[in-house]
Amino acid sequence: MASLNKTSPEFRNFFIYNSTLGPKEGMEHEKIVLYLPVEEDIEKKIRNVGLCEAIVKFTEQFTPDKPCESVHTQKTRQVFYEPEKDYWMIMTVTIPFSEKIVDNAGKEPERHYHNEDVHDTVLRAVLKQTYQMFKLFNGSFQHILSVCDLDELRRRLDYFFGRYLGTINFSTVDILSVFSGIHFLPLDKNAFLKVSCFMNVIEHKFSSIKYTVFMFDDQIVWSGLEQEDMRVLYRYLTTSLIPVTNEEWIIYDKQMVARGENTTSRNHRGRFVTCPPEVMDEVRGPPRKLPRIFIEEEDGLKEFFLVVYQ
C-alpha cells in the first residue's frame, strides 16, 4: 500500500450575513451582506447562510452569550464570529487529506483526513483579524451604514475581503503567526525619556496630530494608541505598508542609478512613506497618499489620517 502526498488546508468560502435584513420568506438573499466566492450559485449561497443561521439560533438557546464558534465535518472546518450585533462572519476551510493506494487493482485509493492540522483557535483568530483590519480602514459596519447605504457597505466589504483573504496562506498560518503580538524595543531610562519628550513636543507643536507612534527596526519605542488599536496598526505597518514601500524605493533607486543620478544623499535622510497632498510634490520618490484609519475613542469611532515618516 503506497501513500501519496498530503494536501494543504484551502479556503472554501467566506460570508457575512445579518438576519434582520431579510426576515420574511422569499427575502433570504437580502440577509447576505457578502459572499465569497462571488460566482457561487445564489441558491447554494442561501442554503449555506440559512444553515449557519439555524445553527447559531439553535445554540443560542443553550448559551446565549456564547453561541456556536465552529462546526466540524469530515471534509471541512467552519468558524463563526459575531463582530457586531446581528452581523455574523463565517469562514470555511477544507481539511487536508492524504490518499493511500490499495494493492487491489481497480480499487479506489483510501482517503484519510487530518483534522488535527486545522485549529479552531487559529481560524477564529484569523477571522477576527480580518475584521479588525477592515475596521481600521473603513470603520465598523454600523458606522458605514450611518453615513452610507447598504449597497455601499456591500461594495466596501467585497473590495476589501475579496483582496485580503487572498493573501492568507492557510497551510502556513499557525498560533505564532496569528498571535505574533507587538514587539517593543528595550531602552534604558534616559533614552526612553528622550523619545517620549520628543513625541510630546511634536504633539504640542502640531495641534492637528492626535496620536503618535515611534518605531525602530519594526519595534515600538513609544505609542500613544490603545494596545488593541496599536496591535492592528502594527501588523499593517510591519507586514504590508513598510515592506512594500521599501521594495518600491529599491526599484526607484535603481531607476535613479540607471539615469545617472546620485542616491547617496537621499539614503542618509528620512522620507515620507505617506504624506499630505501639499507635501507630495516636494517628495522625491514614490510616497503613498494619506490613508484614512478609524480609531475607537470613548465617544465612538473617529476618523484620522495616517502620516508615516521613515
Side-chain angles (χ1 to χ4, degrees):
M1 182 180 289
S3 179
L4 302 180
N5 291 334
K6 186 171 67 173
T7 63
S8 300
E10 295 180 355
F11 171 82
R12 172 66 64 84
N13 59 43
F14 171 85
F15 48 90
I16 302 173
Y17 76 87
N18 185 331
S19 298
T20 64
L21 298 177
K24 297 181 180 180
E25 187 176 351
M27 299 175 59
E28 291 84 359
H29 63 283
E30 294 292 337
K31 300 176 183 178
I32 305 174
V33 185
L34 173 70
Y35 194 106
L36 299 172
V38 178
E39 60 273 11
E40 203 153 276
D41 180 69
I42 184 62
E43 293 300 325
K44 187 174 182 179
K45 293 179 181 179
I46 292 174
R47 285 198 305 271
N48 287 340
V49 171
L51 176 60
C52 291
E53 182 183 14
I55 292 173
V56 169
K57 288 183 177 179
F58 177 75
T59 54
E60 279 180 336
Q61 298 180 31
F62 304 97
T63 53
D65 298 331
K66 194 177 181 181
C68 182
E69 294 185 346
S70 65
V71 172
H72 294 210
T73 68
Q74 183 185 35
K75 298 180 180 180
T76 63
R77 183 70 51 81
Q78 201 167 46
V79 287
F80 296 63
Y81 175 54
E82 186 183 21
E84 301 177 30
K85 181 175 172 53
D86 297 324
Y87 286 92
W88 281 91
M89 299 172 62
I90 290 90
M91 181 170 63
T92 310
V93 176
T94 62
I95 300 295
F97 64 87
S98 57
E99 291 182 334
K100 291 185 178 180
I101 300 176
V102 183
D103 295 335
N104 296 340
K107 192 172 182 180
E108 291 291 328
E110 293 181 359
R111 180 171 292 185
H112 297 272
Y113 288 90
H114 302 271
N115 287 277
E116 68 280 0
D117 289 356
V118 180
H119 302 279
D120 292 355
T121 304
V122 173
L123 290 182
R124 290 196 79 248
V126 169
L127 206 55
K128 184 177 181 180
Q129 206 171 74
T130 60
Y131 170 74
Q132 291 173 333
M133 197 64 74
F134 173 85
K135 184 180 177 182
L136 177 67
F137 293 104
N138 297 274
S140 64
F141 301 159
Q142 292 294 348
H143 171 79
I144 296 173
L145 287 177
S146 69
V147 295
C148 305
D149 57 13
L150 183 58
D151 288 338
E152 178 62 17
L153 172 60
R154 288 189 169 115
R155 187 194 68 79
R156 294 190 188 186
L157 289 170
D158 178 68
Y159 181 84
F160 177 84
F161 286 102
R163 290 160 177 76
Y164 188 80
L165 290 174
T167 65
I168 301 174
N169 186 346
F170 290 97
S171 62
T172 59
V173 67
D174 56 17
I175 292 290
L176 292 178
S177 61
V178 172
F179 298 104
S180 55
I182 300 173
H183 298 280
F184 289 91
L185 179 68
L187 289 178
D188 61 63
K189 183 178 179 180
N190 290 334
F192 177 78
L193 288 176
K194 288 180 180 179
V195 173
S196 176
C197 181
F198 172 65
M199 303 311 286
N200 288 331
V201 168
I202 290 178
E203 292 183 12
H204 178 74
K205 187 172 183 178
F206 302 97
S207 58
S208 59
I209 296 178
K210 183 66 181 291
Y211 300 104
T212 55
V213 177
F214 189 98
M215 296 175 60
F216 176 78
D217 198 20
D218 287 351
Q219 298 178 83
I220 295 177
V221 178
W222 164 268
S223 172
L225 289 170
E226 292 293 332
Q227 187 164 330
E228 191 62 33
D229 291 320
M230 188 63 243
R231 191 187 307 277
V232 183
L233 181 60
Y234 176 81
R235 183 174 182 83
Y236 167 66
L237 292 173
T238 58
T239 64
S240 180
L241 180 63
I242 294 176
V244 170
T245 304
N246 286 341
E247 290 181 6
E248 291 176 350
W249 274 96
I250 291 173
I251 296 173
Y252 178 75
D253 284 347
K254 289 180 179 178
Q255 292 173 345
M256 289 183 65
V257 172
R259 293 194 299 265
E261 299 180 33
N262 184 16
T263 64
T264 304
S265 60
R266 188 194 63 75
N267 289 334
H268 290 280
R269 64 173 185 267
R271 65 196 182 204
F272 280 102
V273 177
T274 65
C275 62
E278 58 269 21
V279 182
M280 188 77 73
D281 294 336
E282 303 175 11
V283 178
R284 300 185 67 189
R288 294 168 175 264
K289 293 182 179 179
L290 279 179
R292 288 182 170 87
I293 63 172
F294 291 82
I295 302 297
E296 194 75 50
E297 296 190 330
E298 291 183 359
D299 54 345
L301 210 59
K302 296 295 179 64
E303 184 178 1
F304 299 92
F305 288 105
L306 177 65
V307 179
V308 180
Y309 187 78
Q310 185 179 23

